[in-house]
Amino acid sequence: AQRVTQPEKLLSVFKGAPVELKCNYSYSGSPELFWYVQYSRQRLQLLLRHISRESIKGFTADLNKGETSFHLKKPFAQEEDSAMYYCALRSPGNTPLVFGKGTRLSVIA
Amino acid sequence: SAVISQKPSRDICQRGTSLTIQCQVDSQVTMMFWYRQQPGQSLTLIATANQGSEATYESGFVIDKFPISRPNLTFSTLTVSNMSPEDSSIYLCSVSRTREQFFGPGTRLTVL
């Protein structure tokens, strides 16, 4: 069965501190992994996906198949990073996303 | 990208009534998805709606409670039937395009 686990419900960090949002998954095969972000009063939007290997707004995430993890990292947190972050996976192809429970990131000035 | 609109944006309903939520996409898509986000919870997939066929429901969701229509490639509706307070949630429409999944703004439903 597909499952995404985000162990932290809330993560508070000081501005300028490093951030790591944890995500582990359960899937038999090669899933596609994503991070979505929801800022206050805005709709859910894609932050990054593992196949792109890109850095968006300073965030990166590396897929570790051995540990079945896809942790989201940023070296220096900014106040505008405060939001709800969801890790998600899907089977290859046009299949719907399965979401983790989300982590609320709060960056303190 | 895909621009998705939903109506209504929010509603307060009485127990036992039904509400139909509309989802409009700015261009044609094969598959549309409906999710529910209960207070403090993550997004849970309700069903997948393909044009011209019956919707496919996830475990725990049934057609009698959440009937879905998909009359064309840009539009879908989700009805929440015989509502109870436990149905109070945000309902989101979503589409998949170019390997990315896009989401509507959501419909915030409160059942009294």
Side-chain angles (χ1 to χ4, degrees):
Chain A
Q2 302 174 19
R3 184 176 299 141
V4 178
T5 303
Q6 294 180 251
E8 303 138 330
K9 207 168 183 177
L10 173 65
L11 183 65
S12 296
V13 300
F14 286 103
K15 177 181 174 181
V19 174
E20 183 178 50
L21 301 171
K22 291 186 172 17
C23 173
N24 287 90
Y25 66 91
S26 173
Y27 182 81
S28 55
S30 296
E32 297 179 10
L33 275 295
F34 303 82
W35 276 98
Y36 276 76
V37 60
Q38 188 167 29
Y39 300 102
S40 180
R41 300 183 183 279
Q42 295 187 27
R43 69 181 69 188
L44 199 62
Q45 57 187 282
L46 177 67
L47 181 62
L48 50 80
R49 66 193 103 182
H50 89 272
I51 58 173
S52 300
R53 293 182 163 272
E54 57 201 341
S55 173
I56 303 293
K57 299 185 179 181
F59 285 97
T60 59
D62 290 319
L63 178 60
N64 186 322
K65 291 186 178 180
E67 296 182 359
T68 59
S69 69
F70 188 56
H71 303 327
L72 183 68
K73 300 178 183 178
K74 184 170 182 176
F76 309 103
Q78 303 299 316
E79 288 179 75
E80 55 265 29
D81 295 329
S82 295
M84 196 73 185
Y85 291 80
Y86 294 95
C87 183
L89 73 76
R90 71 175 184 190
S91 305
N94 201 12
T95 57
L97 290 165
V98 174
F99 285 86
K101 291 185 181 296
T103 298
R104 180 169 297 282
L105 174 64
S106 177
V107 180
I108 306 163
Chain B
S1 69
V3 177
I4 305 171
S5 59
Q6 286 184 235
K7 288 182 185 178
S9 59
R10 59 177 62 223
D11 207 343
I12 301 173
C13 301
Q14 295 296 321
R15 181 195 299 259
T17 62
S18 297
L19 176 72
T20 295
I21 302 167
Q22 299 178 9
C23 176
Q24 180 76 50
V25 188
D26 64 337
S27 55
Q28 295 181 345
V29 291
T30 304
M31 298 173 87
M32 295 176 81
F33 311 110
W34 286 98
Y35 287 82
R36 180 174 74 181
Q37 187 174 24
Q38 293 178 300
Q41 303 294 316
S42 185
L43 287 81
T44 301
L45 181 67
I46 298 172
T48 299
N50 291 333
Q51 194 266 335
S53 63
E54 292 281 335
T56 303
Y57 289 83
E58 297 299 303
S59 175
F61 298 96
V62 294
I63 188 171
D64 289 346
K65 175 67 176 177
F66 296 102
I68 288 172
S69 80
R70 183 79 202 273
N72 58 52
L73 291 172
T74 62
F75 187 79
S76 177
T77 67
L78 169 76
T79 299
V80 187
S81 303
N82 188 24
M83 289 184 284
S84 67
E86 292 71 36
D87 294 320
S88 296
S89 288
I90 297 173
Y91 292 85
L92 296 117
C93 174
S94 177
V95 304
S96 186
R97 176 178 294 149
T98 59
R99 308 191 74 173
E100 182 176 338
Q101 197 164 324
F102 298 90
F103 289 83
T107 295
R108 183 180 294 271
L109 171 61
T110 302
V111 184
L112 303 177

